[in-house]
Amino acid sequence: MYVLAGGNINYPFELSPDIVPDSKTSLLSFLIFFLIVTGGYFYFFSILRKLAESMGGKLFTKDQVRGLRYAGRLLIFITIIENFLAFIISLPFAGINTGFSFSEMLLYTGIGCFLLVLGEVFARGKVYKEENELTV
């Protein structure tokens, strides 16, 4: 808010001498990028926290299956959005390193896919559990 009102700020990253991002639009876009990505990760971790709390009771419930699938999709979506926005933001500033690499993107996407697979395992476990309860 201080910069948008006309103040100066020291950037937390190193810029090349040719790049001077004094535009309020560029700073605002960088701020929006940061808020979107950070908010997405906070929401992802809140889903994981709820899942961890629900694992203490019964296993293979409908909420656990839904939570695992949703967490996996959300992590993949956040990763794609983060890389897309980092690319768009870094276009005007060729010297800024956004700090996100391709290997991290693959890691986060792999974790998201693992959560999706784990959700499918829990869905099958839920079916087997219901069948077992009916036969007993």
Side-chain angles (χ1 to χ4, degrees):
M1 298 306 274
Y2 172 72
V3 173
L4 295 177
N8 292 329
I9 190 169
N10 294 328
Y11 292 96
F13 42 80
E14 253 182 63
L15 299 174
S16 69
D18 300 333
I19 301 171
V20 181
D22 56 359
S23 168
K24 291 180 183 179
T25 306
S26 64
L27 183 63
L28 186 62
S29 62
F30 187 75
L31 180 65
I32 290 172
F33 161 73
F34 178 75
L35 289 176
I36 288 173
V37 171
T38 305
Y41 280 120
F42 274 120
Y43 188 56
F44 171 74
F45 285 117
S46 73
I47 291 172
L48 286 184
R49 184 185 54 81
K50 288 178 187 176
L51 276 171
E53 289 173 357
S54 72
M55 296 286 182
K58 292 183 178 181
L59 288 179
F60 306 113
T61 63
K62 181 178 166 184
D63 292 334
Q64 292 169 350
V65 172
R66 189 177 340 147
L68 284 168
R69 288 178 179 167
Y70 189 68
R73 288 185 195 127
L74 183 65
L75 186 60
I76 292 171
F77 180 72
I78 290 171
T79 303
I80 291 170
I81 292 296
E82 182 174 11
N83 282 299
F84 177 73
L85 290 176
F87 175 73
I88 296 298
I89 295 292
S90 67
L91 282 178
F93 312 115
I96 294 178
N97 182 8
T98 56
F100 202 77
S101 67
F102 187 69
S103 62
E104 288 180 11
M105 183 184 97
L106 288 178
L107 175 69
Y108 292 153
T109 305
I111 292 171
C113 290
F114 175 74
L115 288 173
L116 288 174
V117 169
L118 194 60
E120 291 302 316
V121 168
F122 266 67
R124 289 199 182 190
K126 179 181 174 284
V127 170
Y128 292 144
K129 179 183 170 189
E130 289 172 354
E131 286 178 3
N132 189 23
E133 288 175 355
L134 290 175
T135 58
V136 172

